[in-house]
Amino acid sequence: MNEANYSEVSEFVFLGLSVYRPTQYFLFAFSTISYATIFLGNFSVFLTVVFDTHLHSPMYFLLANLSFVDLCFSTTTVPKLIYDLYSSHNTISFQGCIFQMFILHVLGGCEMVLLVAMAWDRYVAICKPLHYLTIMSPRMCILLLIGAWIIGLIHSVAQLAFVVHLPFCGSNEIDSFYCDLPRFIKLACIDTYRMEFLVTADSGLISVTTFFLLIVSYIFILFTVWKQSLGSLYKALSTLSAHISVVVLFFVPCIFVYIWPFPNVPVDKFLAILDFMITPILNPAIYTLRNKDMKVSMRRLSKQLLRRKSVC
């Protein structure tokens, strides 16, 4: 096959979640409401932490960055899905597809590291309270944030380095609502078995390793608290159970996609809804609405904004 044929595919067509118009109307409404909730929730958390000096602490610093990453993560796919459901124009350019995958893997890798950093923050706060401010210093927080973005960038570059120069000359239909890397690779004109293995090993390794570290850290925290008092264990379990739920909802779809990258039944694209629409809603809800300081700060910030508006 000559190289001329390799450049025939200039855009990809998303098959989406359903071909039935009534289902598409439902998905359009669901996606629009979900994204509006994601935007308002995560943007509110980010602004509250930035502008309220009472929340300038390591835990809220990491939380604000998690909200920012969640908002960007959803923005990379959900607005495009909403537009496609509304217009039935389910296409994306080759360059746009590569860019979307690059951003998704940067943000996904970054969020995984941020979740580990937040678990580490809770471990230090509960198990080493007297050394908390020394260990979780502003310098340490900045280093954790920089490390999260660097690891996300390295992970994304490592993934796309395998696929960016693949030849595409046949079908250009992606059976999903976004540029899913395993399905993208499947469209190539060459034998991609080794590439599939490398991509699966890379993403699967970082997902499983991070998930394992998080679960172990939470178990270690609960064990440490249990040795102190049974009452403290119940309190810690009540707090961490919500965190663990978010972690499971985020990682299970990731692990599923890369352990079974090409299932005959396309369950993975529906599981992706958890990552793009459900988890970004749960993060601000679980990490903030159950937090007294955050609720007080949000009310304070809202009152300040209303006062300024009335003065103007």
mmCIF file with all atom_site columns, all heavy atoms in Angstrom, residues 149-173:
data_model
loop_
_atom_site.group_PDB
_atom_site.id
_atom_site.type_symbol
_atom_site.label_atom_id
_atom_site.label_alt_id
_atom_site.label_comp_id
_atom_site.label_asym_id
_atom_site.label_entity_id
_atom_site.label_seq_id
_atom_site.pdbx_PDB_ins_code
_atom_site.Cartn_x
_atom_site.Cartn_y
_atom_site.Cartn_z
_atom_site.occupancy
_atom_site.B_iso_or_equiv
_atom_site.pdbx_formal_charge
_atom_site.auth_seq_id
_atom_site.auth_comp_id
_atom_site.auth_asym_id
_atom_site.auth_atom_id
_atom_site.pdbx_PDB_model_num
ATOM 1   N N   . TRP A 1 149 ? 1.368   17.699 37.116 1.00 0.00 ? 149 TRP A N   1
ATOM 2   C CA  . TRP A 1 149 ? 1.291   18.125 35.718 1.00 0.00 ? 149 TRP A CA  1
ATOM 3   C C   . TRP A 1 149 ? 2.409   17.518 34.871 1.00 0.00 ? 149 TRP A C   1
ATOM 4   O O   . TRP A 1 149 ? 2.182   17.141 33.717 1.00 0.00 ? 149 TRP A O   1
ATOM 5   C CB  . TRP A 1 149 ? 1.342   19.653 35.628 1.00 0.00 ? 149 TRP A CB  1
ATOM 6   C CG  . TRP A 1 149 ? 0.038   20.291 35.980 1.00 0.00 ? 149 TRP A CG  1
ATOM 7   C CD1 . TRP A 1 149 ? -0.290  20.910 37.152 1.00 0.00 ? 149 TRP A CD1 1
ATOM 8   C CD2 . TRP A 1 149 ? -1.144  20.349 35.166 1.00 0.00 ? 149 TRP A CD2 1
ATOM 9   N NE1 . TRP A 1 149 ? -1.582  21.354 37.122 1.00 0.00 ? 149 TRP A NE1 1
ATOM 10  C CE2 . TRP A 1 149 ? -2.136  21.036 35.913 1.00 0.00 ? 149 TRP A CE2 1
ATOM 11  C CE3 . TRP A 1 149 ? -1.459  19.904 33.889 1.00 0.00 ? 149 TRP A CE3 1
ATOM 12  C CZ2 . TRP A 1 149 ? -3.417  21.271 35.409 1.00 0.00 ? 149 TRP A CZ2 1
ATOM 13  C CZ3 . TRP A 1 149 ? -2.732  20.140 33.388 1.00 0.00 ? 149 TRP A CZ3 1
ATOM 14  C CH2 . TRP A 1 149 ? -3.694  20.818 34.143 1.00 0.00 ? 149 TRP A CH2 1
ATOM 15  N N   . ILE A 1 150 ? 3.599   17.391 35.444 1.00 0.00 ? 150 ILE A N   1
ATOM 16  C CA  . ILE A 1 150 ? 4.718   16.791 34.702 1.00 0.00 ? 150 ILE A CA  1
ATOM 17  C C   . ILE A 1 150 ? 4.442   15.315 34.411 1.00 0.00 ? 150 ILE A C   1
ATOM 18  O O   . ILE A 1 150 ? 4.650   14.836 33.286 1.00 0.00 ? 150 ILE A O   1
ATOM 19  C CB  . ILE A 1 150 ? 6.042   16.952 35.474 1.00 0.00 ? 150 ILE A CB  1
ATOM 20  C CG1 . ILE A 1 150 ? 6.471   18.426 35.471 1.00 0.00 ? 150 ILE A CG1 1
ATOM 21  C CG2 . ILE A 1 150 ? 7.142   16.083 34.864 1.00 0.00 ? 150 ILE A CG2 1
ATOM 22  C CD1 . ILE A 1 150 ? 7.706   18.704 36.305 1.00 0.00 ? 150 ILE A CD1 1
ATOM 23  N N   . ILE A 1 151 ? 3.944   14.589 35.417 1.00 0.00 ? 151 ILE A N   1
ATOM 24  C CA  . ILE A 1 151 ? 3.641   13.174 35.220 1.00 0.00 ? 151 ILE A CA  1
ATOM 25  C C   . ILE A 1 151 ? 2.523   13.005 34.192 1.00 0.00 ? 151 ILE A C   1
ATOM 26  O O   . ILE A 1 151 ? 2.580   12.123 33.323 1.00 0.00 ? 151 ILE A O   1
ATOM 27  C CB  . ILE A 1 151 ? 3.256   12.517 36.564 1.00 0.00 ? 151 ILE A CB  1
ATOM 28  C CG1 . ILE A 1 151 ? 4.495   12.414 37.465 1.00 0.00 ? 151 ILE A CG1 1
ATOM 29  C CG2 . ILE A 1 151 ? 2.649   11.131 36.340 1.00 0.00 ? 151 ILE A CG2 1
ATOM 30  C CD1 . ILE A 1 151 ? 4.212   11.914 38.860 1.00 0.00 ? 151 ILE A CD1 1
ATOM 31  N N   . GLY A 1 152 ? 1.501   13.872 34.264 1.00 0.00 ? 152 GLY A N   1
ATOM 32  C CA  . GLY A 1 152 ? 0.427   13.826 33.270 1.00 0.00 ? 152 GLY A CA  1
ATOM 33  C C   . GLY A 1 152 ? 0.946   14.086 31.873 1.00 0.00 ? 152 GLY A C   1
ATOM 34  O O   . GLY A 1 152 ? 0.549   13.410 30.911 1.00 0.00 ? 152 GLY A O   1
ATOM 35  N N   . LEU A 1 153 ? 1.859   15.059 31.739 1.00 0.00 ? 153 LEU A N   1
ATOM 36  C CA  . LEU A 1 153 ? 2.434   15.389 30.424 1.00 0.00 ? 153 LEU A CA  1
ATOM 37  C C   . LEU A 1 153 ? 3.274   14.238 29.888 1.00 0.00 ? 153 LEU A C   1
ATOM 38  O O   . LEU A 1 153 ? 3.156   13.863 28.710 1.00 0.00 ? 153 LEU A O   1
ATOM 39  C CB  . LEU A 1 153 ? 3.280   16.653 30.542 1.00 0.00 ? 153 LEU A CB  1
ATOM 40  C CG  . LEU A 1 153 ? 3.929   17.169 29.260 1.00 0.00 ? 153 LEU A CG  1
ATOM 41  C CD1 . LEU A 1 153 ? 2.874   17.548 28.238 1.00 0.00 ? 153 LEU A CD1 1
ATOM 42  C CD2 . LEU A 1 153 ? 4.841   18.359 29.555 1.00 0.00 ? 153 LEU A CD2 1
ATOM 43  N N   . ILE A 1 154 ? 4.111   13.671 30.747 1.00 0.00 ? 154 ILE A N   1
ATOM 44  C CA  . ILE A 1 154 ? 4.952   12.543 30.322 1.00 0.00 ? 154 ILE A CA  1
ATOM 45  C C   . ILE A 1 154 ? 4.084   11.354 29.906 1.00 0.00 ? 154 ILE A C   1
ATOM 46  O O   . ILE A 1 154 ? 4.338   10.701 28.881 1.00 0.00 ? 154 ILE A O   1
ATOM 47  C CB  . ILE A 1 154 ? 5.913   12.135 31.460 1.00 0.00 ? 154 ILE A CB  1
ATOM 48  C CG1 . ILE A 1 154 ? 6.951   13.238 31.710 1.00 0.00 ? 154 ILE A CG1 1
ATOM 49  C CG2 . ILE A 1 154 ? 6.619   10.813 31.127 1.00 0.00 ? 154 ILE A CG2 1
ATOM 50  C CD1 . ILE A 1 154 ? 7.823   13.005 32.917 1.00 0.00 ? 154 ILE A CD1 1
ATOM 51  N N   . HIS A 1 155 ? 3.060   11.089 30.692 1.00 0.00 ? 155 HIS A N   1
ATOM 52  C CA  . HIS A 1 155 ? 2.151   9.979  30.373 1.00 0.00 ? 155 HIS A CA  1
ATOM 53  C C   . HIS A 1 155 ? 1.485   10.192 29.014 1.00 0.00 ? 155 HIS A C   1
ATOM 54  O O   . HIS A 1 155 ? 1.418   9.273  28.184 1.00 0.00 ? 155 HIS A O   1
ATOM 55  C CB  . HIS A 1 155 ? 1.091   9.863  31.467 1.00 0.00 ? 155 HIS A CB  1
ATOM 56  C CG  . HIS A 1 155 ? -0.082  9.018  31.092 1.00 0.00 ? 155 HIS A CG  1
ATOM 57  N ND1 . HIS A 1 155 ? 0.022   7.670  30.864 1.00 0.00 ? 155 HIS A ND1 1
ATOM 58  C CD2 . HIS A 1 155 ? -1.389  9.340  30.876 1.00 0.00 ? 155 HIS A CD2 1
ATOM 59  C CE1 . HIS A 1 155 ? -1.170  7.179  30.531 1.00 0.00 ? 155 HIS A CE1 1
ATOM 60  N NE2 . HIS A 1 155 ? -2.034  8.186  30.527 1.00 0.00 ? 155 HIS A NE2 1
ATOM 61  N N   . SER A 1 156 ? 1.010   11.408 28.764 1.00 0.00 ? 156 SER A N   1
ATOM 62  C CA  . SER A 1 156 ? 0.317   11.700 27.501 1.00 0.00 ? 156 SER A CA  1
ATOM 63  C C   . SER A 1 156 ? 1.266   11.598 26.308 1.00 0.00 ? 156 SER A C   1
ATOM 64  O O   . SER A 1 156 ? 0.921   11.012 25.281 1.00 0.00 ? 156 SER A O   1
ATOM 65  C CB  . SER A 1 156 ? -0.307  13.093 27.567 1.00 0.00 ? 156 SER A CB  1
ATOM 66  O OG  . SER A 1 156 ? -1.062  13.363 26.414 1.00 0.00 ? 156 SER A OG  1
ATOM 67  N N   . VAL A 1 157 ? 2.451   12.176 26.446 1.00 0.00 ? 157 VAL A N   1
ATOM 68  C CA  . VAL A 1 157 ? 3.430   12.121 25.349 1.00 0.00 ? 157 VAL A CA  1
ATOM 69  C C   . VAL A 1 157 ? 3.824   10.677 25.064 1.00 0.00 ? 157 VAL A C   1
ATOM 70  O O   . VAL A 1 157 ? 3.939   10.263 23.899 1.00 0.00 ? 157 VAL A O   1
ATOM 71  C CB  . VAL A 1 157 ? 4.669   12.972 25.697 1.00 0.00 ? 157 VAL A CB  1
ATOM 72  C CG1 . VAL A 1 157 ? 5.784   12.730 24.676 1.00 0.00 ? 157 VAL A CG1 1
ATOM 73  C CG2 . VAL A 1 157 ? 4.307   14.455 25.736 1.00 0.00 ? 157 VAL A CG2 1
ATOM 74  N N   . ALA A 1 158 ? 4.006   9.891  26.136 1.00 0.00 ? 158 ALA A N   1
ATOM 75  C CA  . ALA A 1 158 ? 4.380   8.482  25.959 1.00 0.00 ? 158 ALA A CA  1
ATOM 76  C C   . ALA A 1 158 ? 3.287   7.711  25.225 1.00 0.00 ? 158 ALA A C   1
ATOM 77  O O   . ALA A 1 158 ? 3.576   6.834  24.398 1.00 0.00 ? 158 ALA A O   1
ATOM 78  C CB  . ALA A 1 158 ? 4.644   7.841  27.320 1.00 0.00 ? 158 ALA A CB  1
ATOM 79  N N   . GLN A 1 159 ? 2.023   8.047  25.502 1.00 0.00 ? 159 GLN A N   1
ATOM 80  C CA  . GLN A 1 159 ? 0.921   7.379  24.826 1.00 0.00 ? 159 GLN A CA  1
ATOM 81  C C   . GLN A 1 159 ? 0.851   7.756  23.346 1.00 0.00 ? 159 GLN A C   1
ATOM 82  O O   . GLN A 1 159 ? 0.794   6.901  22.473 1.00 0.00 ? 159 GLN A O   1
ATOM 83  C CB  . GLN A 1 159 ? -0.410  7.755  25.503 1.00 0.00 ? 159 GLN A CB  1
ATOM 84  C CG  . GLN A 1 159 ? -0.588  7.151  26.874 1.00 0.00 ? 159 GLN A CG  1
ATOM 85  C CD  . GLN A 1 159 ? -0.971  5.685  26.806 1.00 0.00 ? 159 GLN A CD  1
ATOM 86  O OE1 . GLN A 1 159 ? -0.135  4.815  26.577 1.00 0.00 ? 159 GLN A OE1 1
ATOM 87  N NE2 . GLN A 1 159 ? -2.227  5.393  26.996 1.00 0.00 ? 159 GLN A NE2 1
ATOM 88  N N   . LEU A 1 160 ? 0.857   9.059  23.078 1.00 0.00 ? 160 LEU A N   1
ATOM 89  C CA  . LEU A 1 160 ? 0.658   9.527  21.708 1.00 0.00 ? 160 LEU A CA  1
ATOM 90  C C   . LEU A 1 160 ? 1.876   9.321  20.821 1.00 0.00 ? 160 LEU A C   1
ATOM 91  O O   . LEU A 1 160 ? 1.756   9.308  19.593 1.00 0.00 ? 160 LEU A O   1
ATOM 92  C CB  . LEU A 1 160 ? 0.261   11.005 21.716 1.00 0.00 ? 160 LEU A CB  1
ATOM 93  C CG  . LEU A 1 160 ? -1.095  11.298 22.359 1.00 0.00 ? 160 LEU A CG  1
ATOM 94  C CD1 . LEU A 1 160 ? -1.460  12.757 22.223 1.00 0.00 ? 160 LEU A CD1 1
ATOM 95  C CD2 . LEU A 1 160 ? -2.199  10.441 21.743 1.00 0.00 ? 160 LEU A CD2 1
ATOM 96  N N   . ALA A 1 161 ? 3.054   9.170  21.422 1.00 0.00 ? 161 ALA A N   1
ATOM 97  C CA  . ALA A 1 161 ? 4.253   8.917  20.626 1.00 0.00 ? 161 ALA A CA  1
ATOM 98  C C   . ALA A 1 161 ? 4.108   7.617  19.837 1.00 0.00 ? 161 ALA A C   1
ATOM 99  O O   . ALA A 1 161 ? 4.685   7.467  18.757 1.00 0.00 ? 161 ALA A O   1
ATOM 100 C CB  . ALA A 1 161 ? 5.480   8.843  21.536 1.00 0.00 ? 161 ALA A CB  1
ATOM 101 N N   . PHE A 1 162 ? 3.299   6.679  20.369 1.00 0.00 ? 162 PHE A N   1
ATOM 102 C CA  . PHE A 1 162 ? 3.099   5.403  19.698 1.00 0.00 ? 162 PHE A CA  1
ATOM 103 C C   . PHE A 1 162 ? 2.135   5.519  18.513 1.00 0.00 ? 162 PHE A C   1
ATOM 104 O O   . PHE A 1 162 ? 2.176   4.721  17.586 1.00 0.00 ? 162 PHE A O   1
ATOM 105 C CB  . PHE A 1 162 ? 2.537   4.359  20.678 1.00 0.00 ? 162 PHE A CB  1
ATOM 106 C CG  . PHE A 1 162 ? 3.442   4.053  21.829 1.00 0.00 ? 162 PHE A CG  1
ATOM 107 C CD1 . PHE A 1 162 ? 2.959   4.049  23.139 1.00 0.00 ? 162 PHE A CD1 1
ATOM 108 C CD2 . PHE A 1 162 ? 4.775   3.757  21.626 1.00 0.00 ? 162 PHE A CD2 1
ATOM 109 C CE1 . PHE A 1 162 ? 3.797   3.759  24.207 1.00 0.00 ? 162 PHE A CE1 1
ATOM 110 C CE2 . PHE A 1 162 ? 5.618   3.457  22.685 1.00 0.00 ? 162 PHE A CE2 1
ATOM 111 C CZ  . PHE A 1 162 ? 5.131   3.461  23.978 1.00 0.00 ? 162 PHE A CZ  1
ATOM 112 N N   . VAL A 1 163 ? 1.236   6.498  18.541 1.00 0.00 ? 163 VAL A N   1
ATOM 113 C CA  . VAL A 1 163 ? 0.117   6.469  17.601 1.00 0.00 ? 163 VAL A CA  1
ATOM 114 C C   . VAL A 1 163 ? 0.032   7.664  16.656 1.00 0.00 ? 163 VAL A C   1
ATOM 115 O O   . VAL A 1 163 ? -0.715  7.616  15.680 1.00 0.00 ? 163 VAL A O   1
ATOM 116 C CB  . VAL A 1 163 ? -1.226  6.369  18.373 1.00 0.00 ? 163 VAL A CB  1
ATOM 117 C CG1 . VAL A 1 163 ? -1.237  5.159  19.285 1.00 0.00 ? 163 VAL A CG1 1
ATOM 118 C CG2 . VAL A 1 163 ? -1.493  7.637  19.180 1.00 0.00 ? 163 VAL A CG2 1
ATOM 119 N N   . VAL A 1 164 ? 0.771   8.739  16.938 1.00 0.00 ? 164 VAL A N   1
ATOM 120 C CA  . VAL A 1 164 ? 0.573   9.973  16.176 1.00 0.00 ? 164 VAL A CA  1
ATOM 121 C C   . VAL A 1 164 ? 0.914   9.820  14.696 1.00 0.00 ? 164 VAL A C   1
ATOM 122 O O   . VAL A 1 164 ? 0.364   10.525 13.844 1.00 0.00 ? 164 VAL A O   1
ATOM 123 C CB  . VAL A 1 164 ? 1.384   11.133 16.809 1.00 0.00 ? 164 VAL A CB  1
ATOM 124 C CG1 . VAL A 1 164 ? 2.871   10.930 16.599 1.00 0.00 ? 164 VAL A CG1 1
ATOM 125 C CG2 . VAL A 1 164 ? 0.913   12.474 16.280 1.00 0.00 ? 164 VAL A CG2 1
ATOM 126 N N   . HIS A 1 165 ? 1.818   8.885  14.369 1.00 0.00 ? 165 HIS A N   1
ATOM 127 C CA  . HIS A 1 165 ? 2.217   8.698  12.972 1.00 0.00 ? 165 HIS A CA  1
ATOM 128 C C   . HIS A 1 165 ? 1.588   7.453  12.340 1.00 0.00 ? 165 HIS A C   1
ATOM 129 O O   . HIS A 1 165 ? 2.051   6.994  11.287 1.00 0.00 ? 165 HIS A O   1
ATOM 130 C CB  . HIS A 1 165 ? 3.746   8.601  12.870 1.00 0.00 ? 165 HIS A CB  1
ATOM 131 C CG  . HIS A 1 165 ? 4.445   9.863  13.290 1.00 0.00 ? 165 HIS A CG  1
ATOM 132 N ND1 . HIS A 1 165 ? 4.247   11.070 12.651 1.00 0.00 ? 165 HIS A ND1 1
ATOM 133 C CD2 . HIS A 1 165 ? 5.327   10.111 14.297 1.00 0.00 ? 165 HIS A CD2 1
ATOM 134 C CE1 . HIS A 1 165 ? 4.990   12.008 13.226 1.00 0.00 ? 165 HIS A CE1 1
ATOM 135 N NE2 . HIS A 1 165 ? 5.641   11.454 14.225 1.00 0.00 ? 165 HIS A NE2 1
ATOM 136 N N   . LEU A 1 166 ? 0.532   6.922  12.947 1.00 0.00 ? 166 LEU A N   1
ATOM 137 C CA  . LEU A 1 166 ? -0.120  5.748  12.374 1.00 0.00 ? 166 LEU A CA  1
ATOM 138 C C   . LEU A 1 166 ? -0.770  6.085  11.026 1.00 0.00 ? 166 LEU A C   1
ATOM 139 O O   . LEU A 1 166 ? -1.314  7.176  10.853 1.00 0.00 ? 166 LEU A O   1
ATOM 140 C CB  . LEU A 1 166 ? -1.203  5.234  13.329 1.00 0.00 ? 166 LEU A CB  1
ATOM 141 C CG  . LEU A 1 166 ? -0.750  4.415  14.540 1.00 0.00 ? 166 LEU A CG  1
ATOM 142 C CD1 . LEU A 1 166 ? -1.962  4.082  15.402 1.00 0.00 ? 166 LEU A CD1 1
ATOM 143 C CD2 . LEU A 1 166 ? -0.059  3.133  14.105 1.00 0.00 ? 166 LEU A CD2 1
ATOM 144 N N   . PRO A 1 167 ? -0.721  5.160  10.066 1.00 0.00 ? 167 PRO A N   1
ATOM 145 C CA  . PRO A 1 167 ? -1.404  5.379  8.778  1.00 0.00 ? 167 PRO A CA  1
ATOM 146 C C   . PRO A 1 167 ? -2.879  4.996  8.879  1.00 0.00 ? 167 PRO A C   1
ATOM 147 O O   . PRO A 1 167 ? -3.223  3.956  9.428  1.00 0.00 ? 167 PRO A O   1
ATOM 148 C CB  . PRO A 1 167 ? -0.660  4.432  7.836  1.00 0.00 ? 167 PRO A CB  1
ATOM 149 C CG  . PRO A 1 167 ? -0.181  3.326  8.715  1.00 0.00 ? 167 PRO A CG  1
ATOM 150 C CD  . PRO A 1 167 ? 0.097   3.938  10.066 1.00 0.00 ? 167 PRO A CD  1
ATOM 151 N N   . PHE A 1 168 ? -3.763  5.843  8.345  1.00 0.00 ? 168 PHE A N   1
ATOM 152 C CA  . PHE A 1 168 ? -5.193  5.566  8.332  1.00 0.00 ? 168 PHE A CA  1
ATOM 153 C C   . PHE A 1 168 ? -5.695  5.656  6.883  1.00 0.00 ? 168 PHE A C   1
ATOM 154 O O   . PHE A 1 168 ? -5.542  6.688  6.239  1.00 0.00 ? 168 PHE A O   1
ATOM 155 C CB  . PHE A 1 168 ? -5.952  6.579  9.191  1.00 0.00 ? 168 PHE A CB  1
ATOM 156 C CG  . PHE A 1 168 ? -5.601  6.495  10.646 1.00 0.00 ? 168 PHE A CG  1
ATOM 157 C CD1 . PHE A 1 168 ? -4.591  7.286  11.178 1.00 0.00 ? 168 PHE A CD1 1
ATOM 158 C CD2 . PHE A 1 168 ? -6.273  5.624  11.493 1.00 0.00 ? 168 PHE A CD2 1
ATOM 159 C CE1 . PHE A 1 168 ? -4.260  7.212  12.518 1.00 0.00 ? 168 PHE A CE1 1
ATOM 160 C CE2 . PHE A 1 168 ? -5.942  5.541  12.835 1.00 0.00 ? 168 PHE A CE2 1
ATOM 161 C CZ  . PHE A 1 168 ? -4.931  6.332  13.347 1.00 0.00 ? 168 PHE A CZ  1
ATOM 162 N N   . CYS A 1 169 ? -6.262  4.572  6.403  1.00 0.00 ? 169 CYS A N   1
ATOM 163 C CA  . CYS A 1 169 ? -6.680  4.564  5.003  1.00 0.00 ? 169 CYS A CA  1
ATOM 164 C C   . CYS A 1 169 ? -8.003  3.854  4.789  1.00 0.00 ? 169 CYS A C   1
ATOM 165 O O   . CYS A 1 169 ? -8.468  3.746  3.665  1.00 0.00 ? 169 CYS A O   1
ATOM 166 C CB  . CYS A 1 169 ? -5.604  3.882  4.154  1.00 0.00 ? 169 CYS A CB  1
ATOM 167 S SG  . CYS A 1 169 ? -5.131  2.254  4.781  1.00 0.00 ? 169 CYS A SG  1
ATOM 168 N N   . GLY A 1 170 ? -8.628  3.364  5.852  1.00 0.00 ? 170 GLY A N   1
ATOM 169 C CA  . GLY A 1 170 ? -9.881  2.644  5.717  1.00 0.00 ? 170 GLY A CA  1
ATOM 170 C C   . GLY A 1 170 ? -11.017 3.359  6.409  1.00 0.00 ? 170 GLY A C   1
ATOM 171 O O   . GLY A 1 170 ? -11.303 4.527  6.136  1.00 0.00 ? 170 GLY A O   1
ATOM 172 N N   . SER A 1 171 ? -11.660 2.668  7.336  1.00 0.00 ? 171 SER A N   1
ATOM 173 C CA  . SER A 1 171 ? -12.786 3.235  8.066  1.00 0.00 ? 171 SER A CA  1
ATOM 174 C C   . SER A 1 171 ? -12.324 4.393  8.952  1.00 0.00 ? 171 SER A C   1
ATOM 175 O O   . SER A 1 171 ? -11.226 4.390  9.504  1.00 0.00 ? 171 SER A O   1
ATOM 176 C CB  . SER A 1 171 ? -13.444 2.152  8.934  1.00 0.00 ? 171 SER A CB  1
ATOM 177 O OG  . SER A 1 171 ? -14.442 2.721  9.754  1.00 0.00 ? 171 SER A OG  1
ATOM 178 N N   . ASN A 1 172 ? -13.172 5.398  9.068  1.00 0.00 ? 172 ASN A N   1
ATOM 179 C CA  . ASN A 1 172 ? -12.866 6.535  9.942  1.00 0.00 ? 172 ASN A CA  1
ATOM 180 C C   . ASN A 1 172 ? -13.927 6.701  11.027 1.00 0.00 ? 172 ASN A C   1
ATOM 181 O O   . ASN A 1 172 ? -14.100 7.776  11.588 1.00 0.00 ? 172 ASN A O   1
ATOM 182 C CB  . ASN A 1 172 ? -12.766 7.825  9.122  1.00 0.00 ? 172 ASN A CB  1
ATOM 183 C CG  . ASN A 1 172 ? -14.098 8.231  8.507  1.00 0.00 ? 172 ASN A CG  1
ATOM 184 O OD1 . ASN A 1 172 ? -14.983 7.394  8.331  1.00 0.00 ? 172 ASN A OD1 1
ATOM 185 N ND2 . ASN A 1 172 ? -14.240 9.510  8.195  1.00 0.00 ? 172 ASN A ND2 1
ATOM 186 N N   . GLU A 1 173 ? -14.657 5.613  11.327 1.00 0.00 ? 173 GLU A N   1
ATOM 187 C CA  . GLU A 1 173 ? -15.724 5.668  12.326 1.00 0.00 ? 173 GLU A CA  1
ATOM 188 C C   . GLU A 1 173 ? -15.214 5.186  13.679 1.00 0.00 ? 173 GLU A C   1
ATOM 189 O O   . GLU A 1 173 ? -14.698 4.070  13.801 1.00 0.00 ? 173 GLU A O   1
ATOM 190 C CB  . GLU A 1 173 ? -16.913 4.813  11.877 1.00 0.00 ? 173 GLU A CB  1
ATOM 191 C CG  . GLU A 1 173 ? -17.604 5.348  10.636 1.00 0.00 ? 173 GLU A CG  1
ATOM 192 C CD  . GLU A 1 173 ? -18.793 4.496  10.238 1.00 0.00 ? 173 GLU A CD  1
ATOM 193 O OE1 . GLU A 1 173 ? -18.868 3.314  10.684 1.00 0.00 ? 173 GLU A OE1 1
ATOM 194 O OE2 . GLU A 1 173 ? -19.645 4.983  9.482  1.00 0.00 ? 173 GLU A OE2 1
#
